[in-house]
Structures are given as C-alpha cells and as structure tokens.
Amino acid sequence: MSEKTVSALIATAGKRPETLRTTVQSMFDQDYAGHIEVVVVFDYVEIDDLSDLTVPNNRSLVTAVNNRSKGLAGGRNTGITLAQGELIGFCDDDDYWYPQRVSAQVKLWEQYPQAVAVSSSINVRTDGKDVLRSGSLVTTFEDLLISRHFEIHPSTTLFKREDLLENGRIGFVDEDLPSAYGEDYDLALRAARLGDIYSVQEPGALILWDRPSFFSGHWQSMVDGLTYILRKFPEFERQPKGLARIAGQVAFAHAALGNRKMASAFARSALSRDPKQLRAWAALLVASGLIKPQVLLDLVNKTGRGL
C-alpha cells in the first residue's frame, strides 16, 4: 500500500485564498514517498489556478469547478469523480496537514488492512492555543452512535476511493443532507457500518477554529441536518446516550432560534434518556433567556470541543 497514489481533495468557495495556499502547500510537503494528487474544487466561483505555487516532484495539482449540487457535499463528490488516487483524503480550505500525516496513516493501514478508513488525532487551534483531540486506536459504529468522536475529522481521514464512488460500499457524500450539516459525521457512520475506523495516535492535522463561528446564524441548518441524520440512522435508538446527545444539540439550536417550545420538547427528550446531557440543560438556559447561545458556544469552543 505504501506506493499507492493519494488524492487530497479540497472543496472551497474561494473566500480564503491565502489559507487555501497554505493548505495545498501542506499537502505538497508531505513526507510520503508515493504520489500525492491535490484536487481543488471551486464551488460555483471562478477558478483560481494556483499557478503561483510550485508543484514538487511526485506531486500534481488539479483545479476544477463543482459540477454537482452547490455546496460542500457536491464539491467533494466532484473531487471524488476527478480523483485518480487509490486513497482519498479531504481537507477544509483553512486546515493544515502535518508532514507525516499520510505516511503514518498508510503505515497504520498496512498493519490493519481490515480498516474501513484510517484517521488520526488532531490539534484544534482555538482562542490562540492548540488543543490536542485524540481518540482510541479503533472506533466502531457503536462508538460513533454514542459520541461524535470529533477527532475523526474530515480533514484527517483517509478512505479508499472505490468505496466513495457513487456505487461504492460507502457511496458519495450525501448531497440530500440539509445544508450539508454533519456530512462528515454521516460519512463516518456509513463507513463504520462496514468496518472499524483505525486512528494514528499522533496528530495528523491542524484544525483552525480561530475564526467567526459557522453556527452563528446557521442554527436552522443544525436542526435540519441533525434531524435528517436521526431519521437516516434508526440505530441511534439502541444507544440512549447518543440519541440524547443529538436531541440536546437540536434543543440548543431551537433555543438559539427562539423556538422555546421545540427547545423544551427536545431538551426533555434528551434528559429522559440521559439526565447528564449538558447540551439539553444549556438549551433550557438559553430558552429561558438567562444566557445567549453564542456565549455558551464560545466557552465550549475554547476547550477545543464542538457543540
């Protein structure tokens, strides 16, 4: 597997040209001996050909326009269809791959060929500091039902390309998911249904959170996306804590939208399954007007954890 070509896919709206170049360069700078193909897909905006970057030996660069549905899911699927590599890794246009990321993951996959995907720990840069998020060597489908396992991040997970094709075992990124919210979680769940995800314990990527929150003004996307995921995966019913976690997130989003009745209903549903579900208690605080949602979200983000 060490000589397999790896395709690194970036879907971008073209709003961060400087960080995009840093991201691409981090892929060029991998210590992996095999070929790395970088595919940058622009989401219905003019292509930046990145011609100011020098493409090293054993690396290649492809730029294209999203030819599928507008948004992150369509952009990533466009990249999958264009990719020539046997392995595929996504990356957001403002994250960064550490130099050993690909080589360490390929080595781990050689040790555990039964893996359905290979990820790694991550560093999350938030509030001016880096917070390490590491997980276990093996993550199962049941583990993902219970917890999101944020360290299995789209910017640091490798898949087999054949699995991600439209008719592959896992299939495309779900373009029907509202606003593509939780598309990475959905993909990880579908992968883990087929087999375990293995993770390198050292961080493979730097995830940048020192930017305005995506969630501010996008609460309805969270409601719609997570509700969709709950319907798509009825297996959540067998993991009450996992179901309570998502119900708590939906409750919080409803509270942020001012939907007090829905916030209370989802919070009660969450707490009936897990009385310690903090998201549900936070939703009740926000719904009561005692605290603003962004204040709580900022506090959580400083710990390197998402909502």
Short mmCIF file of all heavy atoms in Angstrom, two decimals, residues 31-96:
data_model
loop_
_atom_site.label_atom_id
_atom_site.label_comp_id
_atom_site.label_asym_id
_atom_site.label_seq_id
_atom_site.Cartn_x
_atom_site.Cartn_y
_atom_site.Cartn_z
N ASP A 31 5.78 13.95 3.74
CA ASP A 31 6.98 13.12 3.61
C ASP A 31 6.67 11.76 2.99
O ASP A 31 7.55 10.90 2.90
CB ASP A 31 7.69 12.96 4.96
CG ASP A 31 6.85 12.19 6.00
OD1 ASP A 31 5.80 11.61 5.64
OD2 ASP A 31 7.26 12.16 7.17
N TYR A 32 5.46 11.58 2.53
CA TYR A 32 5.04 10.34 1.89
C TYR A 32 5.79 10.13 0.58
O TYR A 32 5.88 11.04 -0.26
CB TYR A 32 3.53 10.41 1.63
CG TYR A 32 2.92 9.20 0.99
CD1 TYR A 32 3.00 7.94 1.59
CD2 TYR A 32 2.24 9.30 -0.23
CE1 TYR A 32 2.41 6.83 1.00
CE2 TYR A 32 1.65 8.19 -0.82
CZ TYR A 32 1.75 6.96 -0.20
OH TYR A 32 1.17 5.86 -0.79
N ALA A 33 6.33 8.92 0.39
CA ALA A 33 7.14 8.65 -0.79
C ALA A 33 6.31 8.46 -2.05
O ALA A 33 6.81 8.63 -3.17
CB ALA A 33 8.01 7.41 -0.55
N GLY A 34 5.05 8.11 -1.90
CA GLY A 34 4.19 7.89 -3.06
C GLY A 34 3.70 9.21 -3.65
O GLY A 34 3.95 10.29 -3.13
N HIS A 35 2.97 9.07 -4.76
CA HIS A 35 2.45 10.26 -5.44
C HIS A 35 1.24 10.82 -4.70
O HIS A 35 0.37 10.08 -4.25
CB HIS A 35 2.05 9.91 -6.88
CG HIS A 35 1.57 11.10 -7.66
ND1 HIS A 35 2.43 12.05 -8.16
CD2 HIS A 35 0.32 11.50 -8.00
CE1 HIS A 35 1.74 12.97 -8.80
NE2 HIS A 35 0.45 12.67 -8.72
N ILE A 36 1.18 12.14 -4.57
CA ILE A 36 0.02 12.83 -4.00
C ILE A 36 -0.53 13.78 -5.04
O ILE A 36 0.18 14.66 -5.54
CB ILE A 36 0.38 13.59 -2.71
CG1 ILE A 36 0.79 12.61 -1.60
CG2 ILE A 36 -0.82 14.43 -2.23
CD1 ILE A 36 1.18 13.28 -0.30
N GLU A 37 -1.79 13.58 -5.36
CA GLU A 37 -2.52 14.44 -6.30
C GLU A 37 -3.43 15.36 -5.49
O GLU A 37 -4.26 14.90 -4.73
CB GLU A 37 -3.35 13.55 -7.22
CG GLU A 37 -4.35 14.31 -8.08
CD GLU A 37 -5.43 13.40 -8.66
OE1 GLU A 37 -6.08 12.66 -7.87
OE2 GLU A 37 -5.64 13.45 -9.88
N VAL A 38 -3.27 16.66 -5.65
CA VAL A 38 -4.12 17.63 -4.96
C VAL A 38 -5.21 18.10 -5.93
O VAL A 38 -4.90 18.60 -7.02
CB VAL A 38 -3.30 18.83 -4.45
CG1 VAL A 38 -4.21 19.81 -3.72
CG2 VAL A 38 -2.17 18.36 -3.54
N VAL A 39 -6.46 17.92 -5.53
CA VAL A 39 -7.60 18.32 -6.36
C VAL A 39 -8.36 19.41 -5.61
O VAL A 39 -8.88 19.18 -4.52
CB VAL A 39 -8.55 17.13 -6.64
CG1 VAL A 39 -9.72 17.58 -7.51
CG2 VAL A 39 -7.78 15.99 -7.32
N VAL A 40 -8.40 20.61 -6.20
CA VAL A 40 -9.11 21.73 -5.58
C VAL A 40 -10.36 22.02 -6.40
O VAL A 40 -10.27 22.32 -7.60
CB VAL A 40 -8.22 22.99 -5.51
CG1 VAL A 40 -8.97 24.13 -4.79
CG2 VAL A 40 -6.91 22.68 -4.80
N VAL A 41 -11.52 21.93 -5.76
CA VAL A 41 -12.80 22.14 -6.44
C VAL A 41 -13.41 23.45 -5.96
O VAL A 41 -13.63 23.64 -4.75
CB VAL A 41 -13.77 20.98 -6.18
CG1 VAL A 41 -15.11 21.23 -6.86
CG2 VAL A 41 -13.17 19.66 -6.67
N PHE A 42 -13.69 24.36 -6.88
CA PHE A 42 -14.26 25.66 -6.56
C PHE A 42 -15.78 25.59 -6.71
O PHE A 42 -16.30 25.15 -7.73
CB PHE A 42 -13.66 26.74 -7.46
CG PHE A 42 -12.21 27.01 -7.15
CD1 PHE A 42 -11.21 26.24 -7.73
CD2 PHE A 42 -11.86 28.00 -6.26
CE1 PHE A 42 -9.87 26.47 -7.44
CE2 PHE A 42 -10.52 28.25 -5.96
CZ PHE A 42 -9.53 27.47 -6.55
N ASP A 43 -16.47 26.04 -5.67
CA ASP A 43 -17.91 25.87 -5.60
C ASP A 43 -18.65 27.00 -6.31
O ASP A 43 -19.03 27.99 -5.69
CB ASP A 43 -18.35 25.78 -4.13
CG ASP A 43 -19.80 25.34 -4.00
OD1 ASP A 43 -20.31 24.64 -4.91
OD2 ASP A 43 -20.43 25.69 -2.98
N TYR A 44 -18.84 26.85 -7.61
CA TYR A 44 -19.59 27.82 -8.42
C TYR A 44 -19.01 29.22 -8.32
O TYR A 44 -19.73 30.22 -8.29
CB TYR A 44 -21.07 27.80 -8.04
CG TYR A 44 -21.77 26.55 -8.54
CD1 TYR A 44 -21.74 25.37 -7.81
CD2 TYR A 44 -22.44 26.56 -9.76
CE1 TYR A 44 -22.36 24.22 -8.28
CE2 TYR A 44 -23.05 25.42 -10.23
CZ TYR A 44 -23.01 24.24 -9.49
OH TYR A 44 -23.62 23.11 -9.97
N VAL A 45 -17.68 29.30 -8.26
CA VAL A 45 -16.98 30.58 -8.32
C VAL A 45 -15.86 30.41 -9.34
O VAL A 45 -15.52 29.30 -9.76
CB VAL A 45 -16.39 30.99 -6.95
CG1 VAL A 45 -17.50 31.26 -5.95
CG2 VAL A 45 -15.43 29.92 -6.41
N GLU A 46 -15.28 31.52 -9.73
CA GLU A 46 -14.20 31.48 -10.72
C GLU A 46 -13.01 30.69 -10.18
O GLU A 46 -12.63 30.82 -9.01
CB GLU A 46 -13.78 32.90 -11.07
CG GLU A 46 -12.74 32.99 -12.17
CD GLU A 46 -12.40 34.42 -12.54
OE1 GLU A 46 -13.09 35.34 -12.06
OE2 GLU A 46 -11.45 34.62 -13.31
N ILE A 47 -12.42 29.89 -11.04
CA ILE A 47 -11.28 29.07 -10.64
C ILE A 47 -10.04 29.94 -10.39
O ILE A 47 -9.73 30.83 -11.17
CB ILE A 47 -10.95 28.02 -11.72
CG1 ILE A 47 -12.01 26.92 -11.74
CG2 ILE A 47 -9.58 27.39 -11.46
CD1 ILE A 47 -11.73 25.84 -12.77
N ASP A 48 -9.39 29.67 -9.28
CA ASP A 48 -8.05 30.20 -9.01
C ASP A 48 -7.10 29.07 -9.37
O ASP A 48 -7.10 28.02 -8.70
CB ASP A 48 -7.95 30.58 -7.54
CG ASP A 48 -6.57 31.07 -7.13
OD1 ASP A 48 -5.64 30.95 -7.94
OD2 ASP A 48 -6.44 31.55 -5.98
N ASP A 49 -6.31 29.21 -10.41
CA ASP A 49 -5.48 28.09 -10.88
C ASP A 49 -4.27 27.82 -9.99
O ASP A 49 -3.53 26.85 -10.21
CB ASP A 49 -5.04 28.28 -12.33
CG ASP A 49 -4.16 29.52 -12.53
OD1 ASP A 49 -3.68 30.11 -11.53
OD2 ASP A 49 -3.95 29.90 -13.70
N LEU A 50 -4.05 28.67 -8.98
CA LEU A 50 -2.96 28.47 -8.02
C LEU A 50 -1.60 28.37 -8.73
O LEU A 50 -0.69 27.69 -8.25
CB LEU A 50 -3.21 27.22 -7.18
CG LEU A 50 -4.54 27.19 -6.40
CD1 LEU A 50 -4.75 25.84 -5.74
CD2 LEU A 50 -4.58 28.30 -5.36
N SER A 51 -1.48 29.05 -9.86
CA SER A 51 -0.27 28.95 -10.66
C SER A 51 0.95 29.57 -9.99
O SER A 51 2.09 29.37 -10.43
CB SER A 51 -0.48 29.60 -12.04
OG SER A 51 -0.87 30.96 -11.89
N ASP A 52 0.73 30.32 -8.91
CA ASP A 52 1.85 30.90 -8.19
C ASP A 52 2.55 29.88 -7.29
O ASP A 52 3.62 30.15 -6.76
CB ASP A 52 1.39 32.09 -7.35
CG ASP A 52 0.23 31.73 -6.43
OD1 ASP A 52 -0.77 31.17 -6.92
OD2 ASP A 52 0.32 32.01 -5.22
N LEU A 53 1.95 28.70 -7.13
CA LEU A 53 2.55 27.65 -6.31
C LEU A 53 3.44 26.76 -7.18
O LEU A 53 3.12 26.47 -8.34
CB LEU A 53 1.47 26.79 -5.66
CG LEU A 53 0.57 27.48 -4.62
CD1 LEU A 53 -0.48 26.51 -4.11
CD2 LEU A 53 1.40 28.02 -3.45
N THR A 54 4.53 26.32 -6.60
CA THR A 54 5.43 25.40 -7.30
C THR A 54 5.07 23.97 -6.94
O THR A 54 5.07 23.60 -5.76
CB THR A 54 6.90 25.67 -6.91
OG1 THR A 54 7.24 27.01 -7.26
CG2 THR A 54 7.83 24.70 -7.62
N VAL A 55 4.75 23.18 -7.94
CA VAL A 55 4.36 21.79 -7.71
C VAL A 55 5.61 20.93 -7.68
O VAL A 55 6.33 20.83 -8.69
CB VAL A 55 3.40 21.30 -8.81
CG1 VAL A 55 2.97 19.86 -8.53
CG2 VAL A 55 2.19 22.21 -8.93
N PRO A 56 5.91 20.29 -6.55
CA PRO A 56 7.14 19.48 -6.44
C PRO A 56 7.05 18.19 -7.25
O PRO A 56 5.98 17.80 -7.72
CB PRO A 56 7.23 19.18 -4.94
CG PRO A 56 6.22 20.06 -4.27
CD PRO A 56 5.17 20.33 -5.29
N ASN A 57 8.19 17.52 -7.35
CA ASN A 57 8.21 16.20 -7.97
C ASN A 57 7.33 15.24 -7.18
O ASN A 57 7.24 15.32 -5.95
CB ASN A 57 9.65 15.66 -8.01
CG ASN A 57 10.53 16.45 -8.96
OD1 ASN A 57 10.05 17.02 -9.94
ND2 ASN A 57 11.83 16.47 -8.69
N ASN A 58 6.71 14.34 -7.87
CA ASN A 58 5.84 13.32 -7.28
C ASN A 58 4.59 13.92 -6.65
O ASN A 58 3.95 13.30 -5.81
CB ASN A 58 6.59 12.49 -6.24
CG ASN A 58 6.15 11.04 -6.27
OD1 ASN A 58 5.56 10.57 -7.24
ND2 ASN A 58 6.42 10.31 -5.21
N ARG A 59 4.26 15.13 -7.08
CA ARG A 59 3.01 15.77 -6.66
C ARG A 59 2.34 16.32 -7.92
O ARG A 59 3.00 16.60 -8.92
CB ARG A 59 3.27 16.92 -5.67
CG ARG A 59 4.05 16.50 -4.42
CD ARG A 59 3.21 15.64 -3.50
NE ARG A 59 3.91 15.31 -2.25
CZ ARG A 59 4.47 14.13 -2.00
NH1 ARG A 59 4.43 13.18 -2.93
NH2 ARG A 59 5.07 13.89 -0.86
N SER A 60 1.04 16.49 -7.88
CA SER A 60 0.33 17.10 -9.01
C SER A 60 -0.82 17.93 -8.47
O SER A 60 -1.26 17.75 -7.33
CB SER A 60 -0.19 16.03 -9.98
OG SER A 60 -1.05 15.11 -9.33
N LEU A 61 -1.30 18.86 -9.29
CA LEU A 61 -2.36 19.78 -8.87
C LEU A 61 -3.42 19.87 -9.96
O LEU A 61 -3.11 20.11 -11.13
CB LEU A 61 -1.76 21.17 -8.60
CG LEU A 61 -2.75 22.28 -8.26
CD1 LEU A 61 -3.48 21.98 -6.95
CD2 LEU A 61 -2.02 23.62 -8.14
N VAL A 62 -4.68 19.67 -9.56
CA VAL A 62 -5.82 19.78 -10.47
C VAL A 62 -6.79 20.79 -9.88
O VAL A 62 -7.10 20.72 -8.67
CB VAL A 62 -6.53 18.41 -10.65
CG1 VAL A 62 -7.77 18.56 -11.52
CG2 VAL A 62 -5.57 17.38 -11.21
N THR A 63 -7.27 21.74 -10.68
CA THR A 63 -8.30 22.66 -10.23
C THR A 63 -9.52 22.50 -11.13
O THR A 63 -9.40 22.28 -12.33
CB THR A 63 -7.82 24.13 -10.26
OG1 THR A 63 -7.37 24.44 -11.58
CG2 THR A 63 -6.68 24.34 -9.27
N ALA A 64 -10.71 22.61 -10.52
CA ALA A 64 -11.95 22.39 -11.28
C ALA A 64 -13.08 23.13 -10.60
O ALA A 64 -12.97 23.59 -9.46
CB ALA A 64 -12.27 20.90 -11.35
N VAL A 65 -14.19 23.25 -11.33
CA VAL A 65 -15.41 23.85 -10.78
C VAL A 65 -16.37 22.73 -10.38
O VAL A 65 -16.48 21.72 -11.08
CB VAL A 65 -16.08 24.78 -11.81
CG1 VAL A 65 -17.46 25.21 -11.35
CG2 VAL A 65 -15.21 26.01 -12.06
N ASN A 66 -17.04 22.90 -9.26
CA ASN A 66 -18.06 21.95 -8.82
C ASN A 66 -19.10 21.78 -9.92
O ASN A 66 -19.73 22.75 -10.34
CB ASN A 66 -18.71 22.47 -7.53
CG ASN A 66 -19.83 21.58 -7.02
OD1 ASN A 66 -20.02 20.47 -7.51
ND2 ASN A 66 -20.55 22.06 -6.03
N ASN A 67 -19.28 20.54 -10.38
CA ASN A 67 -20.28 20.29 -11.42
C ASN A 67 -21.50 19.54 -10.90
O ASN A 67 -22.29 19.02 -11.69
CB ASN A 67 -19.65 19.54 -12.61
CG ASN A 67 -19.05 18.19 -12.20
OD1 ASN A 67 -19.39 17.63 -11.15
ND2 ASN A 67 -18.15 17.67 -13.03
N ARG A 68 -21.61 19.50 -9.59
CA ARG A 68 -22.76 18.84 -8.98
C ARG A 68 -23.55 19.88 -8.18
O ARG A 68 -23.49 21.07 -8.46
CB ARG A 68 -22.29 17.67 -8.12
CG ARG A 68 -21.54 16.58 -8.93
CD ARG A 68 -21.11 15.44 -8.05
NE ARG A 68 -22.27 14.78 -7.44
CZ ARG A 68 -22.97 13.81 -8.03
NH1 ARG A 68 -22.65 13.37 -9.23
NH2 ARG A 68 -24.00 13.26 -7.40
N SER A 69 -24.30 19.46 -7.18
CA SER A 69 -25.11 20.41 -6.41
C SER A 69 -24.21 21.40 -5.69
O SER A 69 -23.12 21.05 -5.22
CB SER A 69 -26.00 19.67 -5.41
OG SER A 69 -25.20 18.94 -4.48
N LYS A 70 -24.66 22.62 -5.59
CA LYS A 70 -23.88 23.67 -4.93
C LYS A 70 -23.69 23.34 -3.46
O LYS A 70 -24.61 22.88 -2.79
CB LYS A 70 -24.60 25.02 -5.08
CG LYS A 70 -23.83 26.20 -4.48
CD LYS A 70 -24.57 27.51 -4.75
CE LYS A 70 -23.90 28.68 -4.05
NZ LYS A 70 -22.51 28.86 -4.48
N GLY A 71 -22.50 23.55 -2.97
CA GLY A 71 -22.23 23.31 -1.57
C GLY A 71 -21.11 22.31 -1.36
O GLY A 71 -20.55 21.73 -2.31
N LEU A 72 -20.79 22.08 -0.09
CA LEU A 72 -19.65 21.24 0.29
C LEU A 72 -19.78 19.82 -0.21
O LEU A 72 -18.82 19.24 -0.75
CB LEU A 72 -19.49 21.25 1.81
CG LEU A 72 -18.34 20.43 2.39
CD1 LEU A 72 -17.00 20.93 1.87
CD2 LEU A 72 -18.38 20.49 3.92
N ALA A 73 -20.97 19.22 -0.06
CA ALA A 73 -21.14 17.83 -0.47
C ALA A 73 -20.93 17.66 -1.97
O ALA A 73 -20.19 16.77 -2.42
CB ALA A 73 -22.53 17.34 -0.07
N GLY A 74 -21.55 18.54 -2.76
CA GLY A 74 -21.37 18.46 -4.21
C GLY A 74 -19.93 18.70 -4.62
O GLY A 74 -19.41 18.05 -5.54
N GLY A 75 -19.26 19.64 -3.94
CA GLY A 75 -17.86 19.91 -4.24
C GLY A 75 -16.98 18.71 -3.96
O GLY A 75 -16.09 18.38 -4.76
N ARG A 76 -17.21 18.06 -2.83
CA ARG A 76 -16.39 16.88 -2.51
C ARG A 76 -16.67 15.74 -3.48
O ARG A 76 -15.76 15.02 -3.87
CB ARG A 76 -16.64 16.46 -1.06
CG ARG A 76 -15.97 17.40 -0.07
CD ARG A 76 -16.11 16.98 1.36
NE ARG A 76 -15.28 17.83 2.22
CZ ARG A 76 -15.37 17.91 3.53
NH1 ARG A 76 -16.28 17.18 4.17
NH2 ARG A 76 -14.57 18.70 4.21
N ASN A 77 -17.92 15.57 -3.86
CA ASN A 77 -18.23 14.50 -4.81
C ASN A 77 -17.65 14.77 -6.19
O ASN A 77 -17.21 13.85 -6.88
CB ASN A 77 -19.74 14.30 -4.89
CG ASN A 77 -20.31 13.67 -3.63
OD1 ASN A 77 -19.59 12.99 -2.90
ND2 ASN A 77 -21.58 13.87 -3.37
N THR A 78 -17.62 16.05 -6.58
CA THR A 78 -16.93 16.40 -7.83
C THR A 78 -15.47 15.98 -7.75
O THR A 78 -14.90 15.41 -8.69
CB THR A 78 -17.04 17.91 -8.11
OG1 THR A 78 -18.40 18.26 -8.32
CG2 THR A 78 -16.22 18.30 -9.34
N GLY A 79 -14.85 16.25 -6.61
CA GLY A 79 -13.45 15.87 -6.42
C GLY A 79 -13.25 14.37 -6.47
O GLY A 79 -12.26 13.88 -7.03
N ILE A 80 -14.18 13.61 -5.88
CA ILE A 80 -14.08 12.15 -5.90
C ILE A 80 -14.10 11.63 -7.33
O ILE A 80 -13.32 10.74 -7.70
CB ILE A 80 -15.22 11.52 -5.07
CG1 ILE A 80 -15.02 11.82 -3.58
CG2 ILE A 80 -15.30 10.02 -5.30
CD1 ILE A 80 -16.23 11.48 -2.72
N THR A 81 -14.99 12.18 -8.16
CA THR A 81 -15.08 11.71 -9.54
C THR A 81 -13.85 12.08 -10.36
O THR A 81 -13.48 11.36 -11.29
CB THR A 81 -16.34 12.28 -10.23
OG1 THR A 81 -16.28 13.71 -10.26
CG2 THR A 81 -17.60 11.85 -9.50
N LEU A 82 -13.19 13.19 -10.01
CA LEU A 82 -11.99 13.62 -10.73
C LEU A 82 -10.73 12.92 -10.25
O LEU A 82 -9.76 12.79 -11.00
CB LEU A 82 -11.81 15.13 -10.59
CG LEU A 82 -12.84 16.03 -11.26
CD1 LEU A 82 -12.60 17.48 -10.86
CD2 LEU A 82 -12.75 15.88 -12.78
N ALA A 83 -10.73 12.48 -9.00
CA ALA A 83 -9.53 11.94 -8.38
C ALA A 83 -9.04 10.68 -9.09
O ALA A 83 -9.84 9.85 -9.55
CB ALA A 83 -9.81 11.64 -6.91
N GLN A 84 -7.73 10.53 -9.16
CA GLN A 84 -7.11 9.36 -9.75
C GLN A 84 -6.45 8.46 -8.71
O GLN A 84 -6.00 7.36 -9.02
CB GLN A 84 -6.06 9.80 -10.78
CG GLN A 84 -6.62 10.62 -11.93
CD GLN A 84 -7.63 9.84 -12.75
OE1 GLN A 84 -7.35 8.74 -13.22
NE2 GLN A 84 -8.83 10.41 -12.91
N GLY A 85 -6.38 8.93 -7.48
CA GLY A 85 -5.71 8.16 -6.44
C GLY A 85 -6.51 6.97 -5.96
O GLY A 85 -7.74 6.96 -6.05
N GLU A 86 -5.80 6.00 -5.40
CA GLU A 86 -6.47 4.84 -4.81
C GLU A 86 -6.98 5.15 -3.40
O GLU A 86 -7.90 4.50 -2.91
CB GLU A 86 -5.51 3.66 -4.80
CG GLU A 86 -5.15 3.17 -6.19
CD GLU A 86 -3.88 2.35 -6.20
OE1 GLU A 86 -2.79 2.96 -6.24
OE2 GLU A 86 -3.99 1.11 -6.17
N LEU A 87 -6.36 6.13 -2.76
CA LEU A 87 -6.80 6.59 -1.44
C LEU A 87 -7.19 8.05 -1.56
O LEU A 87 -6.60 8.81 -2.33
CB LEU A 87 -5.69 6.42 -0.40
CG LEU A 87 -5.15 5.01 -0.20
CD1 LEU A 87 -4.02 5.02 0.82
CD2 LEU A 87 -6.26 4.05 0.26
N ILE A 88 -8.18 8.46 -0.76
CA ILE A 88 -8.68 9.84 -0.80
C ILE A 88 -8.71 10.41 0.61
O ILE A 88 -9.18 9.77 1.55
CB ILE A 88 -10.09 9.90 -1.41
CG1 ILE A 88 -10.02 9.79 -2.93
CG2 ILE A 88 -10.82 11.18 -1.02
CD1 ILE A 88 -11.36 9.84 -3.63
N GLY A 89 -8.21 11.65 0.72
CA GLY A 89 -8.33 12.39 1.97
C GLY A 89 -8.88 13.77 1.69
O GLY A 89 -8.41 14.46 0.78
N PHE A 90 -9.88 14.18 2.45
CA PHE A 90 -10.44 15.53 2.30
C PHE A 90 -9.67 16.50 3.19
O PHE A 90 -8.96 16.12 4.11
CB PHE A 90 -11.91 15.55 2.72
CG PHE A 90 -12.79 14.61 1.95
CD1 PHE A 90 -13.40 13.54 2.58
CD2 PHE A 90 -13.03 14.81 0.60
CE1 PHE A 90 -14.22 12.67 1.88
CE2 PHE A 90 -13.84 13.95 -0.11
CZ PHE A 90 -14.44 12.87 0.53
N CYS A 91 -9.85 17.78 2.91
CA CYS A 91 -9.34 18.81 3.82
C CYS A 91 -10.11 20.10 3.60
O CYS A 91 -10.42 20.45 2.45
CB CYS A 91 -7.85 19.06 3.59
SG CYS A 91 -7.08 20.02 4.93
N ASP A 92 -10.48 20.77 4.67
CA ASP A 92 -11.08 22.09 4.55
C ASP A 92 -10.03 23.08 4.07
O ASP A 92 -8.82 22.86 4.27
CB ASP A 92 -11.65 22.55 5.89
CG ASP A 92 -12.87 21.73 6.31
OD1 ASP A 92 -13.48 21.08 5.44
OD2 ASP A 92 -13.21 21.74 7.51
N ASP A 93 -10.47 24.17 3.47
CA ASP A 93 -9.52 25.09 2.84
C ASP A 93 -8.79 26.00 3.82
O ASP A 93 -8.02 26.87 3.40
CB ASP A 93 -10.21 25.93 1.75
CG ASP A 93 -11.26 26.87 2.30
OD1 ASP A 93 -11.46 26.92 3.53
OD2 ASP A 93 -11.91 27.56 1.49
N ASP A 94 -9.02 25.80 5.12
CA ASP A 94 -8.25 26.58 6.09
C ASP A 94 -7.63 25.68 7.16
O ASP A 94 -7.20 26.17 8.21
CB ASP A 94 -9.12 27.66 6.74
CG ASP A 94 -10.34 27.08 7.44
OD1 ASP A 94 -10.65 25.90 7.22
OD2 ASP A 94 -10.99 27.83 8.20
N ASP A 95 -7.59 24.37 6.90
CA ASP A 95 -6.89 23.45 7.79
C ASP A 95 -5.53 23.10 7.19
O ASP A 95 -5.20 23.53 6.09
CB ASP A 95 -7.73 22.18 8.04
CG ASP A 95 -9.00 22.49 8.84
OD1 ASP A 95 -9.02 23.53 9.53
OD2 ASP A 95 -9.97 21.71 8.75
N TYR A 96 -4.76 22.31 7.91
CA TYR A 96 -3.35 22.11 7.55
C TYR A 96 -2.95 20.69 7.89
O TYR A 96 -3.19 20.21 8.99
CB TYR A 96 -2.51 23.12 8.35
CG TYR A 96 -1.01 23.02 8.18
CD1 TYR A 96 -0.35 23.79 7.23
CD2 TYR A 96 -0.25 22.17 8.98
CE1 TYR A 96 1.02 23.71 7.08
CE2 TYR A 96 1.12 22.08 8.83
CZ TYR A 96 1.75 22.86 7.88
OH TYR A 96 3.11 22.77 7.73
#
